[in-house]
Amino acid sequence: MYFAALLARTEDGWEASDTELDDVETLSDLTDLARDASVDEDTVLVFIEQEDAWFGVVRVDGEEDPRIYVSNASAAARSSYGEILLTDELLGREPGAEDSIAALEELVGLDGTEDGEPEAPDNANDNTDDDDAPDPDAVPAGPLGDTGVLSDLGLPEAELLILRTDALAEIADALGAAEVLETVR
């Protein structure tokens, strides 16, 4: 079960709105949605939560690039909404590299065998002990992103890192927005 909400800062405090992510396919779409909710280009926070698995916070300040924090990147990677937040930049990958490699492999049919030959087992040509080598495409378990995304709003990095269940309510409480968030829950 997912929950998503926008918190827009105004001169009167925070305004919360429930948000539908069905039409959001990219981080750019999500950023545009946040900017549309902004009052005078003030801070907008997008909260996304998959119950008891992970949560994410996207902060949009005017025309600046969005700042992203994800509580558990490996859990988020298994979620369509989480994949929106886990950009190549956030994961430390070359932008579009994964898509380019997959497209080339498909185009050329690179599966490690000649036409008509059976596929060799994965360990047939393995003369080294690379089982302990990290997978460069693996998504790390645990937190990922800008841990200071909310520190100037009242939630220090250390506190953000220890949040697990009901995290969005605790974040909203630290920001002084618990009541407005509860109205859209």
Side-chain angles (χ1 to χ4, degrees), residues 95-137:
E98 190 173 293
D99 295 338
S100 298
I101 291 170
L104 285 173
E105 287 177 348
E106 186 176 316
L107 179 67
V108 185
L110 298 176
D111 64 0
T113 64
E114 295 292 325
D115 288 338
E117 289 182 14
E119 274 191 48
D122 286 341
N123 62 355
N125 297 325
D126 192 7
N127 295 332
T128 62
D129 188 15
D130 285 339
D131 291 340
D132 295 332
D135 179 0
D137 292 329

Side-chain angles (χ1 to χ4, degrees), residues 18-40:
D18 189 356
T19 188
E20 192 62 43
L21 297 177
D22 290 344
D23 295 330
V24 174
E25 295 180 7
T26 66
L27 180 59
S28 180
D29 294 342
L30 188 61
T31 303
D32 290 344
L33 184 70
R35 286 190 178 118
D36 289 345
S38 176
V39 177
D40 297 326

Side-chain angles (χ1 to χ4, degrees), residues 80-182:
S80 59
Y81 296 129
E83 287 179 344
I84 292 170
L85 304 182
L86 297 175
T87 63
D88 287 334
E89 181 181 344
L90 191 66
L91 293 168
R93 296 179 184 159
E94 187 68 34
E98 190 173 293
D99 295 338
S100 298
I101 291 170
L104 285 173
E105 287 177 348
E106 186 176 316
L107 179 67
V108 185
L110 298 176
D111 64 0
T113 64
E114 295 292 325
D115 288 338
E117 289 182 14
E119 274 191 48
D122 286 341
N123 62 355
N125 297 325
D126 192 7
N127 295 332
T128 62
D129 188 15
D130 285 339
D131 291 340
D132 295 332
D135 179 0
D137 292 329
V139 175
L144 187 65
D146 185 350
T147 57
V149 69
L150 301 171
S151 58
D152 66 320
L153 299 174
L155 188 69
E157 292 180 40
E159 289 182 34
L160 181 63
L161 288 168
I162 61 171
L163 294 177
R164 295 292 173 250
T165 58
D166 205 26
L168 299 186
E170 291 185 43
I171 291 170
D173 188 43
L175 302 177
E179 288 181 22
V180 293
L181 181 65
E182 195 58 38

Side-chain angles (χ1 to χ4, degrees), residues 13-77:
W14 292 96
E15 289 182 8
S17 60
D18 189 356
T19 188
E20 192 62 43
L21 297 177
D22 290 344
D23 295 330
V24 174
E25 295 180 7
T26 66
L27 180 59
S28 180
D29 294 342
L30 188 61
T31 303
D32 290 344
L33 184 70
R35 286 190 178 118
D36 289 345
S38 176
V39 177
D40 297 326
E41 295 191 6
D42 269 339
T43 300
V44 176
L45 302 174
V46 180
F47 293 148
I48 302 174
E49 177 180 58
Q50 183 179 5
E51 194 171 288
D52 296 330
W54 67 275
F55 70 90
V57 177
V58 178
R59 178 177 177 165
V60 178
D61 293 301
E63 291 300 316
E64 292 180 27
D65 288 341
R67 296 169 57 191
I68 304 167
Y69 173 79
V70 177
S71 67
N72 185 331
S74 63

